[in-house]
Every structure is written in C-alpha cells, then in structure tokens.
Amino acid sequence: MQHPSKPSWFVVTILLLALAACSQQPGICSVEGVVRFPDGQPLTEGTVAFEAVDHQPRITATGEIGPGGTFRLGTYGVDDGAVPGRHRVAVIVNQSIGTRKERPDEMKPSVLAERYRDFETSGLEFTIKLGENTVVVEVQHPEK
C-alpha cells in the first residue's frame, strides 16, 4: 500500500483548515462605500451600521467612517463584510458628550440630521448581494 506523499498531506491539511474556518460563520459579502451629503461632500467621521432585517436574531455590521467618507463593513471581524439580504442603516456621529445645559461651551453643532441615528427613523435601506458590494449612503444636514 502506498502512502500519500508529504506535499499531498500538506495540501489536504491546508484545505481542511480553510473549510473549518469558513464553517464557523454564515456567508458574508464584502461591503464598502461612502457616506456623503447631496452636494457630494463626504461625512468625515462617525460610524455606519447595517442591520440585516431578514435574519433572526438580527445581525449588525458596522464600519468606521474615514476622512473621505469611506467605510468598510465588518460583522464578525474588522472589514469582513455583511450578511446578504435587506439591511436598515443608521449613521452615528458623536459630536460631544453631555447636554447643552451641562456643558454649552463643549457642544459643537451637529453636522447630521438626528433621524439617521436610529434604524427605525433613518429611512435608509440597502440590499446586500453575494459578492462585492459598493454603496453610497446619502445623508442630510440638520434642518435649521
């Protein structure tokens, strides 16, 4: 009886490790995008969150918004993507902590309409498909 050569065992071992790693989490898809205002100016800080509405319990992917308004979503790890399906989106910008009455000198005016802070009120929804996804999240300034 012949024994498999060492290179064959090496390839089999690598394949088994790869399969084991993939089976630990549901399929996720690459998602990158940009958050911008209608005039094309990017939102340059904050976090974007995508909540999968077709999954129970709901699964959320998040990404930090960079200086150019760009982000990459991560669900189980940084930048690993999001599950496929419909997603509600929230965009959070933390301007400062406290209230205007407590620390009026530390409050900066918000650059983003408050409705975007909540999945229920943002009005933003995207469908993530298998493969690579690129999305443009358009937001509004607060009303004056």
Side-chain angles (χ1 to χ4, degrees):
M1 178 172 155
Q2 281 188 327
H3 293 285
S5 65
K6 287 183 184 177
S8 296
W9 278 108
F10 178 75
V11 171
V12 169
T13 302
I14 295 299
L15 288 173
L16 288 174
L17 288 173
L19 288 172
C22 292
S23 67
Q24 293 176 356
Q25 57 191 341
I28 55 175
C29 309
S30 172
V31 182
E32 62 182 33
V34 64
V35 182
R36 68 179 185 201
F37 295 99
D39 65 2
Q41 291 296 315
L43 177 66
T44 59
E45 63 181 329
T47 303
V48 63
F50 278 53
E51 178 186 60
V53 298
D54 298 328
H55 289 80
Q56 292 299 329
R58 296 217 168 134
I59 299 172
T60 303
T62 60
E64 292 297 314
I65 301 168
T70 60
F71 66 89
R72 292 185 60 83
L73 292 181
T75 300
Y76 302 105
V78 177
D79 299 343
D80 67 351
V83 296
R86 279 186 323 121
H87 291 256
R88 298 185 306 173
V89 178
V91 181
I92 299 108
V93 177
N94 293 324
Q95 293 295 320
S96 56
I97 297 172
T99 65
R100 292 186 192 279
K101 290 180 182 177
E102 292 171 352
R103 298 183 178 158
D105 55 326
E106 294 180 16
M107 294 298 293
K108 295 188 289 185
S110 179
V111 297
L112 189 63
E114 283 293 314
R115 73 173 189 226
Y116 297 111
R117 294 182 62 86
D118 191 301
F119 294 119
E120 297 286 332
T121 60
S122 76
L124 299 170
E125 188 173 294
F126 293 91
T127 299
I128 302 303
K129 298 179 181 176
L130 293 176
E132 295 185 13
N133 295 265
T134 302
V135 297
V136 175
V137 179
E138 193 167 288
V139 295
Q140 300 284 328
H141 290 286
E143 293 188 25
K144 296 180 181 188

